[in-house]
Amino acid sequence: MSGRVLVAGIGNIFLGDDGFGSEVVRRLRADPGPDVCVRDYGIRGMHLAYDLLDGWDALVLVDALPRRGTPGTIEILRAEPGASRTDSGSNSDSGGRAGGLDAHAMDPEAVFAAVRTLGGVVPPTVIVGCQVETVAEGIGLSGPVAAAVAPAVAAIETVLADLLDRQEV
């Protein structure tokens, strides 16, 4: 395999289930292999944008999803980095910034736009997300979302195996 994959946990740990991405990447294997880098970006969108300039062959975003289904449900989605919006998280409200990138927020589409503005290319992106129960202020995941962490880790390992097995990564 010649490709490199970045696994990025995103979300705000101070907003309940929005901390899902951070918790999942914390529980991933410490050494996922030489072609995989696992990082917790939290709400540091600009940091992720700059790191994406390093020529990754694929990106796996781990994030909380807006509540529109049963809390704790894991979903695997393919992002369309160039579409008007990704379907990737409760924390993706741009807050009226008109597509701007707030260094203390995480809107994946704004991150993708920043990468393109900086002259980079957004790699093929897979989102491993979990339906939230609450994003109220507070630290810690709700019961259903906490129970989804281990299945999310397993899902990411499956996604990584698939990405790394493909020669097109």
Side-chain angles (χ1 to χ4, degrees):
M1 193 260 48
S2 60
R4 296 181 326 130
V5 180
L6 175 61
V7 178
I10 61 176
N12 187 336
I13 64 168
F14 297 109
L15 294 177
D17 291 341
D18 199 47
F20 173 78
S22 295
E23 182 61 22
V24 170
V25 297
R26 187 180 73 77
R27 295 217 199 147
L28 282 169
R29 291 183 293 156
D31 181 19
D35 297 318
V36 178
C37 179
V38 177
R39 292 192 180 135
D40 178 10
Y41 287 91
I43 58 172
R44 297 181 325 271
M46 202 61 198
H47 185 178
L48 175 56
Y50 278 111
D51 282 356
L52 286 171
L53 296 176
D54 288 338
W56 299 95
D57 296 300
L59 170 65
V60 178
L61 288 176
V62 186
D63 196 5
L65 298 175
R67 187 172 184 180
R68 59 172 190 255
T70 304
T73 301
I74 299 295
E75 294 184 36
I76 299 173
L77 310 164
R78 294 225 177 252
E80 300 284 337
S84 61
R85 301 241 343 133
T86 61
D87 187 15
S88 64
S90 59
N91 53 359
S92 62
D93 177 13
S94 63
R97 291 187 305 276
L101 184 62
D102 178 347
H104 300 288
M106 177 62 78
D107 175 350
E109 188 54 41
V111 171
F112 296 158
V115 170
R116 290 187 293 273
T117 298
L118 293 167
V121 176
V122 178
T125 302
V126 176
I127 300 163
V128 176
C130 179
Q131 292 292 322
V132 300
E133 182 171 76
T134 180
V135 289
E137 288 185 17
I139 297 175
L141 303 176
S142 66
V145 173
V149 170
V153 167
I156 292 166
E157 290 171 349
T158 299
V159 166
L160 286 173
D162 182 50
L163 289 171
L164 295 171
D165 283 344
R166 289 189 207 170
Q167 294 303 311
E168 63 194 43
V169 178

